[in-house]
Amino acid sequence: MAVLHRALFTWFICLMFLILLVLRLDERVRWSWFIVFIPLWLYDSILLIYLVFSMISHCRTSHDRFQRTLVRKIWYIFLVVLQQAAQIMLCIKLENNGINLSLFYVMIPVWIILSASTVDVFQSLFEK
Protein backbone atom coordinates (compact mmCIF):
# COMPACT_ATOMS: atom_id res chain seq x y z
CA MET A 1 0.00 0.00 0.00
CA ALA A 2 1.38 3.39 -0.93
CA VAL A 3 2.14 6.03 1.64
CA LEU A 4 -0.72 8.19 0.39
CA HIS A 5 -3.21 5.35 0.84
CA ARG A 6 -1.99 4.65 4.36
CA ALA A 7 -2.24 8.32 5.27
CA LEU A 8 -5.76 8.61 3.84
CA PHE A 9 -6.84 5.45 5.66
CA THR A 10 -5.43 6.78 8.92
CA TRP A 11 -7.24 10.10 8.48
CA PHE A 12 -10.48 8.28 7.63
CA ILE A 13 -10.25 6.15 10.78
CA CYS A 14 -9.53 9.23 12.90
CA LEU A 15 -12.45 11.06 11.31
CA MET A 16 -14.81 8.16 12.00
CA PHE A 17 -13.67 7.99 15.63
CA LEU A 18 -14.11 11.74 16.09
CA ILE A 19 -17.59 11.66 14.56
CA LEU A 20 -18.65 8.82 16.86
CA LEU A 21 -17.06 10.57 19.84
CA VAL A 22 -18.86 13.85 19.15
CA LEU A 23 -22.18 12.07 18.69
CA ARG A 24 -21.71 10.25 22.00
CA LEU A 25 -20.53 13.31 23.94
CA ASP A 26 -23.34 15.46 22.54
CA GLU A 27 -25.80 12.74 23.69
CA ARG A 28 -27.30 12.36 20.23
CA VAL A 29 -26.85 8.62 20.56
CA ARG A 30 -26.77 6.35 23.61
CA TRP A 31 -24.21 3.91 22.31
CA SER A 32 -21.78 2.07 24.48
CA TRP A 33 -18.29 3.53 24.66
CA PHE A 34 -17.02 0.27 23.22
CA ILE A 35 -18.87 1.05 19.97
CA VAL A 36 -17.31 4.52 19.83
CA PHE A 37 -13.80 3.04 20.05
CA ILE A 38 -14.32 0.43 17.30
CA PRO A 39 -12.50 2.49 14.60
CA LEU A 40 -9.40 2.78 16.77
CA TRP A 41 -9.44 -0.93 17.56
CA LEU A 42 -9.84 -1.72 13.87
CA TYR A 43 -6.80 0.42 13.07
CA ASP A 44 -4.76 -1.13 15.90
CA SER A 45 -5.72 -4.63 14.78
CA ILE A 46 -4.61 -3.91 11.21
CA LEU A 47 -1.36 -2.49 12.57
CA LEU A 48 -0.77 -5.61 14.67
CA ILE A 49 -1.43 -7.89 11.69
CA TYR A 50 0.98 -5.83 9.58
CA LEU A 51 3.69 -6.03 12.25
CA VAL A 52 3.29 -9.78 12.71
CA PHE A 53 3.48 -10.45 8.96
CA SER A 54 6.45 -8.11 8.70
CA MET A 55 8.22 -10.04 11.47
CA ILE A 56 7.46 -13.36 9.78
CA SER A 57 8.79 -12.18 6.44
CA HIS A 58 11.86 -10.74 8.16
CA CYS A 59 12.59 -14.08 9.84
CA ARG A 60 12.10 -15.99 6.60
CA THR A 61 14.38 -13.85 4.47
CA SER A 62 17.05 -12.74 6.93
CA HIS A 63 20.05 -14.79 7.91
CA ASP A 64 20.46 -12.95 11.21
CA ARG A 65 17.09 -13.35 12.90
CA PHE A 66 17.85 -11.20 15.92
CA GLN A 67 18.65 -7.94 14.23
CA ARG A 68 17.75 -4.58 15.67
CA THR A 69 14.76 -4.27 13.31
CA LEU A 70 13.17 -7.42 14.69
CA VAL A 71 13.59 -6.22 18.26
CA ARG A 72 12.08 -2.87 17.24
CA LYS A 73 9.03 -4.59 15.72
CA ILE A 74 8.52 -6.59 18.90
CA TRP A 75 8.74 -3.31 20.81
CA TYR A 76 6.08 -1.77 18.52
CA ILE A 77 3.78 -4.74 19.10
CA PHE A 78 4.18 -4.27 22.86
CA LEU A 79 3.28 -0.58 22.55
CA VAL A 80 0.19 -1.27 20.43
CA VAL A 81 -1.01 -3.86 22.95
CA LEU A 82 -0.51 -1.33 25.76
CA GLN A 83 -2.48 1.23 23.75
CA GLN A 84 -5.35 -1.20 23.31
CA ALA A 85 -5.29 -2.01 27.02
CA ALA A 86 -5.54 1.70 27.84
CA GLN A 87 -8.47 2.11 25.45
CA ILE A 88 -10.33 -0.85 26.93
CA MET A 89 -9.79 0.39 30.48
CA LEU A 90 -10.97 3.86 29.44
CA CYS A 91 -14.15 2.36 28.00
CA ILE A 92 -14.75 0.41 31.21
CA LYS A 93 -14.23 3.60 33.23
CA LEU A 94 -16.62 5.62 31.03
CA GLU A 95 -19.38 2.99 31.02
CA ASN A 96 -20.28 3.49 34.71
CA ASN A 97 -21.49 -0.10 34.99
CA GLY A 98 -20.64 -0.54 38.66
CA ILE A 99 -16.94 -1.18 38.23
CA ASN A 100 -15.09 1.47 40.20
CA LEU A 101 -11.86 1.79 38.22
CA SER A 102 -9.57 4.60 39.31
CA LEU A 103 -8.25 6.97 36.65
CA PHE A 104 -4.77 6.29 38.00
CA TYR A 105 -4.99 2.66 36.84
CA VAL A 106 -6.51 3.66 33.51
CA MET A 107 -3.58 5.96 32.75
CA ILE A 108 -0.76 3.56 33.70
CA PRO A 109 -0.44 2.10 30.15
CA VAL A 110 -0.43 5.63 28.69
CA TRP A 111 2.36 6.70 31.03
CA ILE A 112 4.37 3.61 30.12
CA ILE A 113 3.90 4.33 26.41
CA LEU A 114 4.91 7.99 26.77
CA SER A 115 7.97 7.32 28.90
CA ALA A 116 9.12 4.41 26.71
CA SER A 117 8.63 6.46 23.54
CA THR A 118 10.63 9.32 25.02
CA VAL A 119 13.51 6.99 25.89
CA ASP A 120 13.33 5.42 22.42
CA VAL A 121 13.47 8.80 20.68
CA PHE A 122 16.46 9.96 22.71
CA GLN A 123 18.28 6.68 22.12
CA SER A 124 17.75 6.95 18.38
CA LEU A 125 18.96 10.57 18.41
CA PHE A 126 22.26 9.79 20.12
CA GLU A 127 22.84 6.45 18.41
CA LYS A 128 25.85 6.10 16.15
Side-chain angles (χ1 to χ4, degrees):
M1 194 180 329
V3 174
L4 178 65
H5 293 118
R6 283 185 278 183
L8 287 175
F9 180 72
T10 302
W11 280 106
F12 176 72
I13 292 294
C14 289
L15 178 68
M16 290 302 299
F17 171 69
L18 289 175
I19 289 172
L20 293 175
L21 182 68
V22 167
L23 287 173
R24 178 67 167 100
L25 289 175
D26 201 25
E27 295 181 358
R28 301 251 183 216
V29 293
R30 297 296 304 162
W31 292 333
S32 169
W33 283 102
F34 289 98
I35 293 174
V36 173
F37 276 84
I38 284 176
L40 293 181
W41 292 334
L42 175 71
Y43 185 76
D44 290 341
S45 300
I46 291 171
L47 182 62
L48 278 175
I49 291 170
Y50 170 75
L51 286 170
V52 167
F53 279 126
S54 176
M55 284 178 51
I56 291 171
S57 68
H58 176 80
C59 288
R60 289 177 129 187
T61 59
S62 179
H63 297 295
D64 184 16
R65 296 187 178 182
F66 296 105
Q67 290 178 341
R68 182 158 171 79
T69 56
L70 188 62
V71 173
R72 197 163 203 67
K73 289 175 185 174
I74 292 171
W75 178 248
Y76 291 152
I77 288 175
F78 175 70
L79 292 179
V80 170
V81 169
L82 273 179
Q83 179 184 356
Q84 286 182 340
Q87 291 172 358
I88 290 171
M89 288 194 303
L90 182 64
C91 287
I92 291 171
K93 170 94 173 130
L94 292 172
E95 280 294 316
N96 290 329
N97 55 0
I99 300 174
N100 190 7
L101 189 62
S102 174
L103 190 61
F104 176 79
Y105 297 114
V106 172
M107 294 303 291
I108 286 176
V110 176
W111 294 330
I112 293 172
I113 291 170
L114 290 176
S115 60
S117 298
T118 303
V119 169
D120 186 45
V121 166
F122 279 111
Q123 280 182 348
S124 65
L125 282 176
F126 299 115
E127 189 175 83
K128 291 183 182 181

